[in-house]
């Protein structure tokens, strides 16, 4: 990698919230601009180089169209390091909530029966199509984690963020548990930390926007939620908002024994 790495920041199908989170690094923007040779960032600059090789490519959003797939493969071919930023790029995010419906049906529901020309496909994370060197989840990504990531890259390595659930940060903040005391569907036990338990600290149950923590025990948490009189539909609706492909393994969708085990946990 050269002394001043050549960087590209790209967005596929998404709300562009992760790029906006980078722009919101207001106090650090000048330092970032002086440390990085930003070759392409359509959201932030009008002159972009889409031909040169890249040392680092940050990509947000899902593969939601043929155009997205073409762009991603082109970026992957040019970049030494490709980093998925945001929960959409890492897990599929909100766009993957309805992946169980056919794209034809989705197109008809959204655009009507005269929109066959609209290019859409099943919403997929980046790793479904190309090799990804690092993933930084979050909806949007956390500013401090992105700056730490860039700092590590400038030193020639990658950061190691704690692989613990949001519940850990919630406990450190001495918050009252919203599941235990209010019987709300809270995804904190299954969600990767990094947000500082922002929502539970404001008495808002975690919706899992950082995606699943490593080796999450879905069945045990499902049973724990059911034991607090929460319905299967409410649990699945909440858990599927941001990381449906990860939260909704077939066993959770189809195995009725979980309901029976949930009833068992509730009565014992």
């Amino acid at each position: 990698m050269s002394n001043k790495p050549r960087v590209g920041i790209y967005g596929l199908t998404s709300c562009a919230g992760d790029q906006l989170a980078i722009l919101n690094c207001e106090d650090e923007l000048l330092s970032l601009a002086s440390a990085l040779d930003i070759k392409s960032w359509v959201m932030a600059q009008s002159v972009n180089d889409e031909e040169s090789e890249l040392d680092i490519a940050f990509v947000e959003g899902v593969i939601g169209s043929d155009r997205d797939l073409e762009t991603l493969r082109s970026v992957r071919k040019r970049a030494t390091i490709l980093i998925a930023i945001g929960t959409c790029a890492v897990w599929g995010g909100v766009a993957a909530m309805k992946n169980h419906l056919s794209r034809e049906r989705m197109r008809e529901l959204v655009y009507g029966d005269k929109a066959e020309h609209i290019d859409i496909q099943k919403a997929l994370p980046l790793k479904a199509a190309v090799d990804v060197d690092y993933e930084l989840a979050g909806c949007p990504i956390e500013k401090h984690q992105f700056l730490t990531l860039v700092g590590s890259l400038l030193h020639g390595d990658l950061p190691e963020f704690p692989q613990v659930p949001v519940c850990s940060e919630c406990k450190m903040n001495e918050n009252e548990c919203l599941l235990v005391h209010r019987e709300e569907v809270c995804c904190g036990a299954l969600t990767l930390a990094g947000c500082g338990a922002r929502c539970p600290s404001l008495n808002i149950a975690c919706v899992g926007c950082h995606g699943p923590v490593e080796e999450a025990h879905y069945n045990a948490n499902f049973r724990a939620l059911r034991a607090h009189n929460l319905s299967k539909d409410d649990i699945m609706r909440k858990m599927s908002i941001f990381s449906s492909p990860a939260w909704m393994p077939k066993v959770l969708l189809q195995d009725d024994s979980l309901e029976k085990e949930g009833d068992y946990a509730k009565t014992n």
Side-chain angles (χ1 to χ4, degrees), residues 128-249:
V130 300
D131 290 333
V132 175
D133 299 295
Y134 192 80
E135 296 178 327
L136 182 64
C139 186
I141 56 173
E142 299 292 333
K143 169 185 171 180
H144 71 276
Q145 288 191 330
F146 177 76
L147 293 172
T148 299
L149 171 59
V150 172
S152 294
L153 289 166
L154 290 171
H155 283 90
D157 54 23
L158 293 167
E160 292 187 8
F161 295 115
Q163 298 295 309
V164 297
V166 171
C167 274
S168 298
E169 295 179 323
C170 204
K171 293 298 181 186
M172 287 190 281
N173 292 347
E174 300 183 353
N175 295 331
E176 184 178 71
C177 180
L178 296 175
L179 169 62
V180 173
H181 295 282
R182 298 189 184 185
E183 297 196 328
E184 296 184 20
V185 180
C186 186
C187 300
L190 296 166
T191 302
L192 180 63
C195 61
R198 184 180 294 114
C199 292
S201 297
L202 296 171
N203 290 321
I204 300 170
C206 174
V207 293
C209 71
H210 267 229
V213 68
E214 193 173 308
E215 298 184 352
H217 197 324
Y218 298 102
N219 292 1
N221 279 275
F222 182 81
R223 289 194 293 271
L225 291 164
R226 289 288 287 123
H228 285 273
N229 300 314
L230 298 166
S231 74
K232 181 177 180 179
D233 286 345
D234 285 343
I235 295 168
M236 292 178 64
R237 189 179 302 115
K238 193 72 168 284
M239 292 171 68
S240 65
I241 294 175
F242 285 96
S243 309
S244 185
W247 290 128
M248 297 290 119

Side-chain angles (χ1 to χ4, degrees), residues 4 25 34 36 51 53 66 69 73 90 92 98 102 105 122 126 129 137 145 147 158 169 189 192 227 236 248 255 262:
K4 196 170 182 178
C25 297
S34 63
L36 306 174
E51 301 294 333
E53 298 296 308
D66 291 339
L69 184 57
R73 285 175 172 167
V90 176
K98 300 297 182 184
S102 72
R105 178 61 176 152
K122 184 177 180 180
L126 308 191
Q145 288 191 330
L147 293 172
L158 293 167
E169 295 179 323
L192 180 63
M236 292 178 64
M248 297 290 119
D255 191 350

Side-chain angles (χ1 to χ4, degrees), residues 69-110:
L69 184 57
E70 182 181 344
T71 299
L72 178 61
R73 285 175 172 167
S74 173
V75 171
R76 173 70 275 187
K77 190 174 181 181
R78 293 163 51 205
T80 302
I81 298 173
L82 189 146
I83 298 176
I85 54 171
T87 299
C88 282
V90 176
W91 294 108
V94 174
M97 284 177 65
K98 300 297 182 184
N99 268 354
H100 59 284
L101 296 178
S102 72
R103 296 303 93 176
E104 290 74 18
R105 178 61 176 152
M106 288 289 290
R107 184 161 45 207
E108 181 181 352
L109 288 171
V110 176

